[in-house]
């Protein structure tokens, strides 16, 4: 056995990530024992004596002992990572321990199981680490990729040794990728398969016959790599694009894939693979000598790798397995492990994730730098490289007549020389304006120089009239403003020119509602508004119609308001109020008059109001409309806020904007417009009801007129105003089928995959506790309600559409699950199950929501309706909550006139319009206090859970 002693590592001082202060070790020179190779070898010798003659039992005993040693080693390495926070060093420690395990197994196998007294030439073997293991870095759950390298074809001895090592590793619970090949077979496979070629590019000798390994590397370089750089680089960049497509194109998804996502570890690996293949480097430090990166950029390269490895290693340790998605459930724990603390306006987890996204941005910058270097040095040899930076380049280098400071290089804008920005700092804005104007891509050299010139953006430039004129034209341009602004953001120019925007760059919001970081959301808002204006947004035609009727100058105000509406996120005060204040200071620089600046500020201050009222208030109640009208003040402002609201919701994430919300926004607009133009108009409402009925009649052309008349009479005006046409058609077919089947109780299922929900429609005789029973039945079946549309027909039946969270990707699987839910609803409505008892037995929360803590809030308000008291409940959503809320209201002797159920990620906002049993409002302070206490008790966390104290509010 090897005379090696324990693997030991000096523990270095704690790292600092970016500007994040980290804890510092009190001891900086203690040693950590990870893997006692000598002690383990002695124990394996003892096991060989105990199990002499029984190879299978011996192998299992060896595996058990090594598995225990591996667990102890990993625990020690995790402890070191918690102490020093060196991510790459942790990965190197795990890899080094794995090296020792393979070495111990190999030496044990050739000594005790398959000794070769006089090995022939064919019985030579080298064991080689490939892939990520070949790089000498591993996470706790990483695959172990091994190559058993032979001189010729496989021999019985080589096969037995390889099998022993593999079976022991598998018995230890490790995931092992392996291949047994001769050198010639390796070369043939590498030529045919780019994945194998990449794995061999990172081959690392472990043990065995060193000459075999050296021969493989020499032949690989000569026969595979030489002359194929263009092919390899093109393949790796194509792989990168496909990987990003699968993981989600945006670098700023709030639950990123640390390994395969945009700006993740795999992107760093791709950089190294390309550099290694093209420049023939063996060590990363050689990239500086070759001039690929300067020392500062190389430090960024190392910092990015160390941070991402620290995150990935923590993820694997926490999950106890390979986990690559940085999900909400583990984000805060990792933030704490890395030493992030809460600051005013930003939680520890939000500061950690902001740093993560800044690192991902750095990885993107490093990719652009390398590609530019490759293109400049290898342009003739590898023209295919340029496809990453531009689509087509019909013309070679030429100057722009508009400015001598910029040139067009194969359809990409570039700087004429390195002093362009120093001579005139306005050029830092002008380059983006010209690129947008002439539809040019950006040369990476120009973007690199812009990033290096950010210190030139000072207050003088921010207040410069020409710079602000150019910026406003970029922001409001009809030529892909979103993409140009994103490039400004990636270069750092946008955040320096608008410092308030710089504060929210890479800022995440720790909730399940927002899919992107704040800056990415704002840029997507600009894209959404552009789509609405151009008529490309099929699901927002009403907003597009309004866009054509606003005052021409207000178009610019709308784009600026959307750009600024969330710019004050992450501050202590309300971001709407703080954002309005920022707008009042910023808009005059753009040339806006005081009145125009105030309009932008107003839009920002009320940008959440329309969405909130539309989704959580009774739009058929006159007082609701009058209250909302008082906020709007004019029809023009109502139009602007309607358009802004549509664009804002569309940019939150896929599926968030849908037909229900579009119809609610439209209804609120049409209910409010007559009030603002001189009085509440029932005629206007009647016309809209008639139009909705006419549209449905046109779609149901095969129905007899008498049947259409009877069906139209089934619904009250509120139904026709609030329900979109596709749902009206589905409801008509559903009610017709139920009538033909003679069913008084019926259910149907449909899928809204884009929203991630399954819609259940329930037809049943109406009674006060109907919603509570449906909610309870969903809870019993494990279904979580995220939305509900509740209507009563004129013949005393309820028509409720309940949206539940989707659980299965395939419709067939989801259909079977939905059938179980509808069966539960029908049984509950028939009285076949006792809901309170069954619901109580179910688990009250989901692990995904345990990551969040929300302050519960109950508001009781008599100012939103002349007839009802409004009870608004806000808190952390969970399965069964709606049932508990409605059941509690019933126990309190309250009648629910209408309910408005909405879920925003993990946050639920349920609004109930209630009266007492005599039909009167709840005005008694004592009675209100009783209601609040009962509802708050349902929302408050279990004893010991961390959450803020409940908030109770009442009005009138």
């Amino acid at each position: 056995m090897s005379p090696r002693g324990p693997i030991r590592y000096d523990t270095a001082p704690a790292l600092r990530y970016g500007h994040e202060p980290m804890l510092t070790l009190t001891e900086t020179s203690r040693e950590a024992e990870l893997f006692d190779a000598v002690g383990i070898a002695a124990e394996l010798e003892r096991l060989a004596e105990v199990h002499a003659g029984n190879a299978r039992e011996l192998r299992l005993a060896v595996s058990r002992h090594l598995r225990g040693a591996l667990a102890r080693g990993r625990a020690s390495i995790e402890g070191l990572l918690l102490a020093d926070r060196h991510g790459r060093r942790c990965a190197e420690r795990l890899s080094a321990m794995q090296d020792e395990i393979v070495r111990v197994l190999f030496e044990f196998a050739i000594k005790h199981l398959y000794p070769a007294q006089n090995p022939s030439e064919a019985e030579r073997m080298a064991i080689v680490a490939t892939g990520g293991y070949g790089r000498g870095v591993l996470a706790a759950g990483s695959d172990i990729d091994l190559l058993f390298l032979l001189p010729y074809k496989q021999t019985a001895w080589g096969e037995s040794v390889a099998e022993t090592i593999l079976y022991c590793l598998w018995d230890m619970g490790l995931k092992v990728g392996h291949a047994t090949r001769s050198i010639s077979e390796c070369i043939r496979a590498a030529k045919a398969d780019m994945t194998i070629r990449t794995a061999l590019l990172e081959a690392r000798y472990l043990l065995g016959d060193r000459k075999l390994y050296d021969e493989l590397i020499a032949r690989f370089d000569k026969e595979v790599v030489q002359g194929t750089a263009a092919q390899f680089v093109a393949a790796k960049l194509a792989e990168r694009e496909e990987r990003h497509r699968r993981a989600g194109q945006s670098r700023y998804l709030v639950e990123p894939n640390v390994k395969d996502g945009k700006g993740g570890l795999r992107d760093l690996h791709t950089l190294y693979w390309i550099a290694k293949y093209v420049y023939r480097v063996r060590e990363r430090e050689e990239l500086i000598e070759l001039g690929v990166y300067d020392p500062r950029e190389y430090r960024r390269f190392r910092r990015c790798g160390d941070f991402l490895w620290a995150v990935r290693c923590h993820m694997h340790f926490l999950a106890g397995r390979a986990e690559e998605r940085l999900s909400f459930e583990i984000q805060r724990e990792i933030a704490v492990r890395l030493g992030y603390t809460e600051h005013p306006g930003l939680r520890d987890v939000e500061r950690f994730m902001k740093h993560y996204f800044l690192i991902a941005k750095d990885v993107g910058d490093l990719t652009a730098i390398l590609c530019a270097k490759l293109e400049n040095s290898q342009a003739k040899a590898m023209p295919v490289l340029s496809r990453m930076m531009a689509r087509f380049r019909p013309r070679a280098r030429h100057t722009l007549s508009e400015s001598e400071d910029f040139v067009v290089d194969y359809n990409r804008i570039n700087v004429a020389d390195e002093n362009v920005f120093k001579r005139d700092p306005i050029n830092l804005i002008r380059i983006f304006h010209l690129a947008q104007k002439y539809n040019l891509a950006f040369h990476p050299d120009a973007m690199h120089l812009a990033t290096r010139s950010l210190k030139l953006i000072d207050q003088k430039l921010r207040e410069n009239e020409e710079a602000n004129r150019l910026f406003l034209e970029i922001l409001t341009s009809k030529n892909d403003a979103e993409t140009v602004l994103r490039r400004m953001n990636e270069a750092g120019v946008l955040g320096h020119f608008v410092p308030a925007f710089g504060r929210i760059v890479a800022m995440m919001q720790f909730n399940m509602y927002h899919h992107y970081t704040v800056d990415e959301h704002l840029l997507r808002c600009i894209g959404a508004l552009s789509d609405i204006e151009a008529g490309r947004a099929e699901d927002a035609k009403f907003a597009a119609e309004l866009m054509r009727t606003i005052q021409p100058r207000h178009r610019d105000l709308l784009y600026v308001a959307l750009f600024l509406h969330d710019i004050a996120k992450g501050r202590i005060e309300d971001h709407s109020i703080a954002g309005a204040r920022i707008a009042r200071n910023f808009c005059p620089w753009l040339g806006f008059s005081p009145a125009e600046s105030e309009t932008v500020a107003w839009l920002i201050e009320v940008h959440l109001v329309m969405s909130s009222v539309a989704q959580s208030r009774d739009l058929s109640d006159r007082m609701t409309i009058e209250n909302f009208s008082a906020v709007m003040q004019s029809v023009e402002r109502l139009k602007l806020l309607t358009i802004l609201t549509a664009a804002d919701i569309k940019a939150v994430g896929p599926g968030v904007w849908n037909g229900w919300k579009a119809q609610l926004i439209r209804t609120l607009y049409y209910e409010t417009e007559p009030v603002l133009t001189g009085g509440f108009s029932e005629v206007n409402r009647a016309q809209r009801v008639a139009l909705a009925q006419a549209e449905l009649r046109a779609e149901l052309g095969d129905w007899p007129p008498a049947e259409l008349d009877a069906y139209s009479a089934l619904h009250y005006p509120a139904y026709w105003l609030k329900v979109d046409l596709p749902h009206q058609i589905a409801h008509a077919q559903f009610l017709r089928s139920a009538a033909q089947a003679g069913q008084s109780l019926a259910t149907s299922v449909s899928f809204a995959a884009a929203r991630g929900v399954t819609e259940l429609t329930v037809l049943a005789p109406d009674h006060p506790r109907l919603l509570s029973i449906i909610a309870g039945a969903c809870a019993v079946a494990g279904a979580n309600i995220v939305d509900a549309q509740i209507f009563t027909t004129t013949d005393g039946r309820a028509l409720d559409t309940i949206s539940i969270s989707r659980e299965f990707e395939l419709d067939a699987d989801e259909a079977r699950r939905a059938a179980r839910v509808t069966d539960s609803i029908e049984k509950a409505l028939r009285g076949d199950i006792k809901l309170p008892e069954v619901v109580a037995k179910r688990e009250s929360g989901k692990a995904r929501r345990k990551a969040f803590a929300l302050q519960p809030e109950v508001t009781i308000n008599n100012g939103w309706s002349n007839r009802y008291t409004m009870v608004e409940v806000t808190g952390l959503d969970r399965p069964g909550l709606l049932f508990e809320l409605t059941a509690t209201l019933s126990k309190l002797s309250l009648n629910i006139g209408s309910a408005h159920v909405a879920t925003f990620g993990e946050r639920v906002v349920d609004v109930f319009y209630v009266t007492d049993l005599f039909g009167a409002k709840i005005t008694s302070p004592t009675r209100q206090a009783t209601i609040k206490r009962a509802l708050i008790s349902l929302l408050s966390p279990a004893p010991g859970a961390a959450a803020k104290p409940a908030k109770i509010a009442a009005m009138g």
Side-chain angles (χ1 to χ4, degrees):
M1 299 295 287
S2 169
R4 293 167 175 266
I7 304 176
R8 298 176 184 272
Y9 290 96
D10 289 336
T11 305
L15 279 183
R16 284 175 173 266
Y17 290 128
H19 301 294
E20 299 294 336
M22 295 294 177
L23 300 177
T24 304
L25 290 174
T26 53
E27 293 181 70
T28 58
S29 60
R30 68 181 179 88
E31 292 188 329
E33 184 175 298
L34 302 181
F35 191 83
D36 184 0
V38 171
I40 289 172
E43 177 60 19
L44 297 194
E45 290 289 339
R46 189 189 69 79
L47 291 173
E49 294 177 6
V50 172
H51 299 286
N54 191 331
R56 184 176 180 280
E57 287 299 320
L58 175 58
R59 193 193 80 210
L60 291 174
V62 167
S63 299
R64 280 194 297 269
H65 184 71
L66 287 176
R67 186 168 189 160
L70 175 65
R72 292 189 295 274
R74 282 179 175 173
S76 298
I77 292 171
E78 183 179 8
L80 290 172
L81 176 63
L82 288 166
D84 64 25
R85 303 196 180 99
H86 281 272
R88 185 175 179 87
R89 187 167 299 165
C90 174
E92 289 169 348
R93 289 166 179 154
L94 288 165
S95 178
M97 182 170 65
Q98 188 61 51
D99 289 353
E100 287 300 306
I101 290 172
V102 174
R103 188 183 308 279
V104 164
L105 284 172
F106 177 71
E107 294 179 355
F108 181 81
I110 63 175
K111 178 178 180 181
H112 291 288
L113 297 176
Y114 304 104
Q117 301 298 334
N118 296 299
S120 65
E121 175 67 16
E123 289 178 329
R124 293 188 296 142
M125 176 190 286
I127 301 181
V128 180
T130 59
Y133 184 32
R135 283 192 301 276
V137 284
L138 290 174
S142 295
D143 292 358
I144 312 300
D145 295 320
L146 292 173
L147 169 64
F148 296 94
L149 186 62
L150 309 170
Y152 313 114
K153 64 182 181 179
Q154 178 66 284
T155 64
W157 176 85
E159 185 176 4
S160 298
V161 171
E163 283 185 354
T164 297
I165 294 173
L166 290 172
Y167 279 120
C168 285
L169 293 175
W170 287 328
D171 289 342
M172 292 169 63
L174 297 171
K175 292 184 293 181
V176 185
H178 64 96
T180 303
R181 295 190 179 103
S182 67
I183 294 175
S184 295
E185 287 171 336
C186 287
I187 299 302
R188 284 196 298 272
K191 287 181 177 179
D193 189 311
M194 198 60 71
T195 301
I196 294 175
R197 189 184 305 189
T198 306
L200 287 178
L201 182 66
E202 301 199 284
R204 177 171 61 92
Y205 171 78
L206 289 180
L207 63 156
D209 193 316
R210 179 72 192 222
K211 290 182 180 179
L212 277 177
Y213 169 79
D214 291 340
E215 183 182 346
L216 170 66
I217 296 305
R219 287 187 59 184
F220 178 76
D221 285 350
K222 183 178 180 181
E223 300 176 33
V224 179
V225 175
Q226 196 170 333
T228 62
Q231 175 195 23
F232 181 82
V233 173
K236 289 295 113 181
L237 294 181
E239 280 179 19
R240 177 177 175 270
E241 291 302 313
E242 175 59 20
R243 188 175 66 251
H244 291 169
R245 186 193 65 76
R246 290 196 307 268
Q249 270 291 348
S250 177
R251 187 177 291 126
Y252 306 109
L253 289 167
V254 293
E255 291 186 294
N257 187 307
V258 175
K259 180 183 177 184
D260 291 328
K262 199 169 188 177
L265 273 169
R266 186 66 82 207
D267 279 2
L268 274 184
H269 298 161
T270 300
L271 292 182
Y272 187 49
W273 292 334
I274 291 173
K276 194 171 185 178
Y277 204 100
V278 173
Y279 295 105
R280 317 300 299 117
V281 301
R282 304 298 298 179
E283 301 297 333
R284 293 172 300 164
E285 289 78 3
E286 296 175 60
L287 296 175
I288 300 177
E289 299 170 15
L290 291 167
V292 178
Y293 293 127
D294 63 25
R296 184 177 63 174
E297 292 159 351
Y298 178 70
R299 285 194 296 272
R300 283 172 75 192
F301 187 100
R302 287 191 61 106
R303 188 177 69 247
C304 289
D306 198 82
F307 177 84
L308 291 172
W309 270 114
V311 173
R312 188 179 183 217
C313 286
H314 277 304
M315 288 167 64
H316 283 216
F317 283 133
L318 275 173
R321 55 182 168 79
E323 176 58 69
E324 311 302 348
R325 189 169 66 94
L326 188 50
S327 63
F328 289 125
E329 293 94 320
I330 59 176
Q331 284 177 8
R332 187 171 187 280
E333 175 65 27
I334 292 178
V336 172
R337 281 172 166 243
L338 292 176
Y340 290 85
T341 56
E342 187 168 327
H343 281 198
L346 276 182
R347 287 176 280 184
D348 48 7
V349 64
E350 291 170 335
R351 295 184 66 227
F352 158 57
M353 290 305 296
K354 177 170 184 173
H355 189 210
Y356 177 90
F357 293 120
L358 290 174
I359 289 290
K361 178 181 176 296
D362 281 347
V363 173
D365 294 345
L366 291 166
T367 302
I369 292 168
L370 176 62
C371 287
K373 187 68 178 180
L374 284 170
E375 189 174 354
N376 291 338
S377 61
Q378 308 280 334
K380 292 182 179 179
M382 292 180 291
V384 71
L385 293 179
S386 59
R387 56 186 261 188
M388 180 176 181
M389 308 312 298
R391 294 279 186 260
F392 303 98
R393 273 170 259 145
R395 295 183 62 192
R397 186 181 177 98
H398 65 278
T399 58
L400 276 172
S401 58
E402 199 163 326
S403 173
E404 295 181 356
D405 288 330
F406 301 104
V407 297
V408 178
D409 186 356
Y410 288 104
N411 208 35
R412 296 170 303 175
I413 193 166
N414 201 356
V415 291
D417 59 72
E418 291 200 349
N419 294 315
V420 162
F421 300 129
K422 286 183 180 177
R423 280 199 304 273
D424 184 0
I426 297 175
N427 279 333
L428 281 162
I429 310 299
R430 186 174 288 119
I431 186 173
F432 295 98
H433 184 268
L434 292 173
Q436 185 180 56
K437 181 177 180 179
Y438 295 106
N439 200 28
L440 299 172
F442 295 91
H443 196 288
D445 284 349
M447 294 298 93
H448 190 203
L449 184 61
T451 300
R452 289 181 157 212
S453 305
L454 294 177
K455 61 182 180 295
L456 298 173
I457 302 177
D458 53 16
Q459 195 60 25
K460 180 180 178 182
L461 180 65
R462 295 183 190 108
E463 297 179 15
N464 181 274
E465 184 177 345
E466 173 69 2
N468 280 285
R469 180 187 69 80
L470 294 173
F471 176 69
L472 182 61
E473 289 184 10
I474 292 170
L475 176 61
T476 60
S477 171
K478 295 183 179 181
N479 186 16
D480 203 3
E482 178 188 356
T483 298
V484 177
L485 288 168
R486 185 170 287 111
R487 295 309 304 270
M488 286 184 76
N489 190 29
E490 290 171 352
V493 172
L494 188 55
H496 278 71
F497 187 68
V498 186
F501 189 91
R503 287 185 61 169
I504 52 91
V505 168
M507 180 186 291
M508 75 149 327
Q509 300 163 80
F510 190 60
N511 59 57
M512 290 166 57
Y513 180 62
H514 292 91
H515 294 227
Y516 306 105
T517 55
V518 180
D519 57 326
E520 179 69 6
H521 168 65
L522 292 179
L523 300 185
R524 285 173 180 262
C525 282
I526 300 301
L529 181 57
S530 180
D531 288 343
I532 289 171
E533 182 180 20
R536 293 188 294 266
E538 289 293 320
D539 55 357
K541 289 183 178 179
F542 177 61
E545 293 169 8
L546 292 181
M547 192 85 182
R548 291 190 286 270
T549 67
I550 62 173
Q551 297 176 26
R553 176 61 173 169
H554 285 174
R555 175 188 177 275
D556 288 359
L557 307 189
L558 198 50
Y559 274 93
V560 173
L562 262 175
F563 174 71
L564 297 176
H565 78 278
D566 277 346
I567 205 164
K569 283 283 182 78
R571 305 185 187 218
I572 300 174
E573 62 183 313
D574 185 303
H575 77 281
S576 301
I577 296 172
R581 186 171 62 250
I582 290 170
R584 291 185 181 96
N585 293 328
F586 180 66
C587 288
W589 295 349
L590 298 177
F592 289 179
S593 68
E596 291 170 335
S597 298
E598 191 55 40
T599 297
V600 173
W602 177 85
L603 281 168
I604 295 169
E605 195 163 334
V606 302
H607 75 269
L608 295 173
V609 172
M610 189 170 206
S611 173
S612 175
V613 171
Q615 295 182 70
S616 63
R617 298 292 184 269
D618 185 352
L619 303 187
S620 61
D621 193 301
R622 177 167 181 166
M623 189 173 286
T624 295
I625 303 305
E626 290 178 346
N627 288 348
F628 182 69
S629 300
V631 178
M632 293 302 99
Q633 303 173 23
S634 71
V635 173
E636 183 70 10
R637 284 191 167 186
L638 174 64
K639 290 179 180 179
L640 293 175
L641 185 60
T642 303
I643 300 166
L644 182 145
T645 300
D648 187 14
I649 299 175
K650 280 178 66 66
V652 167
V656 177
W657 175 259
N658 55 60
W660 283 117
K661 290 177 183 173
Q663 187 67 16
L664 290 172
I665 296 294
R666 182 176 180 173
T667 297
L668 179 56
Y669 175 88
Y670 277 132
E671 291 292 314
T672 307
E673 185 185 43
V675 181
L676 296 172
T677 55
F680 201 89
S681 173
E682 290 294 343
V683 175
N684 183 275
R685 173 184 286 191
Q687 290 173 344
R688 285 185 288 120
V689 169
L691 177 62
Q693 291 175 343
E695 289 178 341
L696 180 63
R697 285 172 179 268
E699 292 293 332
L700 303 178
D702 58 335
W703 283 35
E707 188 178 3
L708 280 170
D709 290 342
Y711 180 77
S712 296
L714 276 178
H715 297 294
Y716 290 105
Y719 174 86
W720 299 106
L721 297 174
K722 293 181 181 178
V723 180
D724 61 340
L725 184 59
H727 281 90
Q728 288 178 14
I729 297 169
H731 289 165
Q733 302 289 5
F734 173 53
L735 265 68
R736 188 191 208 190
S737 298
Q740 291 172 348
Q743 295 173 312
S744 61
L745 169 61
T747 56
S748 72
V749 176
S750 61
F751 306 111
R755 293 174 58 202
V757 300
T758 295
E759 291 183 346
L760 313 176
T761 303
V762 181
L763 177 67
D766 193 25
H767 62 83
R769 293 190 61 248
L770 180 65
L771 177 61
S772 181
I773 293 171
I774 293 174
C778 288
V780 167
N784 188 47
I785 297 175
V786 297
D787 195 4
Q789 299 290 330
I790 300 159
F791 297 99
T792 304
T793 61
T794 55
D795 60 358
R797 290 180 293 171
L799 180 65
D800 297 349
T801 298
I802 309 295
S803 297
I804 60 174
S805 299
R806 186 181 175 110
E807 289 200 357
F808 295 98
E809 184 175 348
L810 297 178
D811 282 353
D813 295 333
E814 185 65 12
R816 285 189 289 271
R817 178 236 181 186
R820 291 194 297 272
V821 179
T822 56
D823 182 60
S824 176
I825 292 173
E826 292 183 14
K827 285 181 178 177
L829 290 172
R830 288 195 298 264
D832 294 345
I833 53 178
K834 295 182 179 179
L835 287 175
E837 297 176 8
V838 182
V839 173
K841 293 178 182 177
R842 289 198 61 86
E843 187 177 347
S844 62
K846 280 194 172 183
R848 185 162 173 74
R849 290 175 170 79
K850 290 177 183 175
F852 303 97
L854 281 180
Q855 176 178 316
E857 184 174 354
V858 174
T859 301
I860 297 179
N861 193 319
N862 280 309
W864 280 94
S865 174
N866 287 319
R867 180 179 174 187
Y868 295 100
T869 293
M870 189 199 75
V871 179
E872 182 172 16
V873 180
T874 304
L876 189 64
D877 191 23
R878 68 171 187 273
L881 178 60
L882 181 59
F883 168 72
E884 294 177 32
L885 292 172
T886 52
T888 300
L889 290 174
S890 294
K891 290 177 184 176
L892 292 167
S893 300
L894 297 172
N895 283 332
I896 300 175
S898 66
H900 307 268
V901 178
T903 306
F904 304 90
E906 76 287 355
R907 184 172 65 96
V908 65
V909 180
D910 291 347
V911 177
F912 306 95
Y913 282 71
V914 302
T915 64
D916 62 19
L917 296 180
F918 300 101
K921 283 185 173 185
I922 313 303
T923 56
S924 164
T926 303
R927 185 86 190 277
Q928 288 185 2
T930 301
I931 296 170
K932 293 169 200 167
R933 281 196 301 272
L935 296 177
I936 282 290
S937 68
L938 298 177
L939 295 164
S940 298
K948 297 176 182 177
K951 181 178 178 181
I952 300 176
M955 290 180 63

